[in-house]
Amino acid sequence: MDADAAQRLYATSYYSSDTASRFSVPFAEAAMRWFRRRRARALAAALGGATAKRILDVGCGRGYTLFTLQQMGADVFGTQVSASAARAAARLIGEERVFQGTLRRATYADATFDAVGLWHVLEHVTEPFSELREIARILKPAGLLYVEVPNAGCWAARRYGADWLAYDVEHHVSHFTPATLGLLARRAGFVIVREVHLSLEYSPVTLLQTWLNRWFGGENRLFRAVTHDNDRDAPQGRVPLFIHVAGAVVLFVPAAIASLSLALRRAGDTYGVYLKRIE
């Protein structure tokens, strides 16, 4: 997928064209914003504070993570391929701080940033090695990179195969296990500082939707219903949507408990890693 194709895809099937919202359900939107603030606090903690740090969020969505970091004193910048999301982020953190397009088209100067965040972006990139090499170029020598991706080597992906939510073949063009991401990062010039095996934002809902896919059929039906990825041509299955909703209510707590257990075994649905440049 080239850059122009990516911009067309995420303009039409990822964010709403008017408000750039990701979810059609207000509760999910509110939860997403809370998790974005949590992302910001975690990165700031890893940096030993955000004040005066220059931070880049690649695929910054509507800028909520950057806005929180900005309030904490950071000098923030973001890239975003979706025009509507980029406009929303620019309104939030400043017009000159958001580049609409891919990272490599932004052409930031060498050694510009103290930290770069790549939250659930690398799986959308057709050339992930080139993406990481570009980040190595624009990071300062002591800079920090955080990458978080779906874990294609997790228990659920191996157990449920094509029913695993995070395969998302429409949007996810690259897939990683902890081993393959670590190897790619090392080849791109990074060393692993710390690993994260649980995402409260992604792990439970990924496992939950995977169970619904396996037991009720349909192609991520509930997920599509609450986001702007509601492809009417996607297989719906024979089970009515309200059954999917009821199943989600019953299964959410078990999915959360199972996600924690899997994370402790390093087999959870999400994998994150803090990286530094090899000197």
Side-chain angles (χ1 to χ4, degrees):
M1 185 189 305
D2 61 26
D4 294 327
Q7 289 182 354
R8 289 192 297 271
L9 173 63
Y10 294 105
T12 57
S13 69
Y14 215 72
Y15 298 97
S16 67
S17 58
D18 49 355
T19 64
S21 59
R22 179 72 178 96
F23 296 94
S24 57
V25 178
F27 171 77
E29 275 287 299
M32 181 275 299
R33 296 185 188 192
W34 184 84
F35 280 120
R36 296 301 183 268
R37 293 191 292 271
R38 192 171 181 274
R39 283 183 183 181
R41 291 192 293 269
L43 183 60
L47 286 169
T51 302
K53 299 295 198 311
R54 180 166 286 188
I55 299 173
L56 174 68
D57 186 356
V58 179
C60 67
R62 287 166 289 161
Y64 294 122
T65 300
L66 291 174
F67 179 67
T68 301
L69 288 164
Q70 191 177 56
Q71 291 182 313
M72 298 170 73
D75 186 17
V76 299
F77 297 84
T79 68
Q80 175 55 252
V81 295
S82 164
S84 61
R87 287 193 297 269
R91 288 192 296 269
L92 198 60
I93 65 171
E95 194 74 32
E96 75 285 357
R97 296 181 177 277
V98 180
F99 177 81
Q100 192 216 322
T102 62
L103 173 62
R104 278 175 285 174
R105 286 187 174 181
T107 61
Y108 295 112
D110 292 356
T112 296
F113 297 102
D114 296 288
V116 176
L118 211 63
W119 286 277
H120 291 266
V121 170
L122 201 62
E123 66 269 24
H124 297 261
V125 174
T126 54
E127 298 179 18
F129 176 75
S130 297
E131 194 86 350
L132 292 180
R133 287 297 298 160
E134 177 68 0
I135 293 172
R137 182 185 69 80
I138 64 177
L139 262 180
K140 294 178 181 180
L144 184 69
L145 167 63
Y146 181 70
V147 180
E148 188 172 287
V149 294
N151 176 14
C154 72
W155 174 83
R158 291 183 279 107
R159 173 68 176 82
Y160 298 110
D163 288 326
W164 188 50
L165 166 65
Y167 277 129
D168 190 9
V169 294
E170 183 180 8
H171 300 104
H172 294 179
V173 296
S174 301
H175 295 283
F176 305 93
T177 67
T180 59
L181 181 58
L183 178 61
L184 186 71
R186 286 190 292 274
R187 288 181 175 176
F190 291 96
V191 61
I192 295 174
V193 176
R194 179 162 62 92
E195 295 178 303
V196 179
H197 291 273
L198 175 69
S199 166
L200 294 178
E201 180 178 1
Y202 285 94
S203 298
V205 295
T206 298
L207 183 58
L208 173 60
Q209 180 62 75
T210 299
W211 285 346
L212 296 178
N213 288 343
R214 172 56 60 94
W215 297 332
F216 296 155
E219 187 177 293
N220 303 329
R221 187 172 184 186
L222 181 58
F223 180 77
R224 289 179 180 274
V226 301
T227 67
H228 293 286
D229 294 335
N230 195 5
D231 183 358
R232 297 184 182 278
D233 295 328
Q236 300 293 306
R238 297 181 179 181
V239 178
L241 179 59
F242 78 88
I243 298 295
H244 288 253
V245 174
V249 171
V250 171
L251 293 170
F252 181 78
V253 171
I257 294 171
S259 292
L260 177 58
S261 174
L262 289 167
L264 292 172
R265 293 157 48 194
R266 303 167 67 90
D269 291 80
T270 311
Y271 177 67
V273 61
Y274 288 94
L275 303 162
K276 286 195 172 183
R277 286 173 45 182
I278 298 172
E279 298 301 324

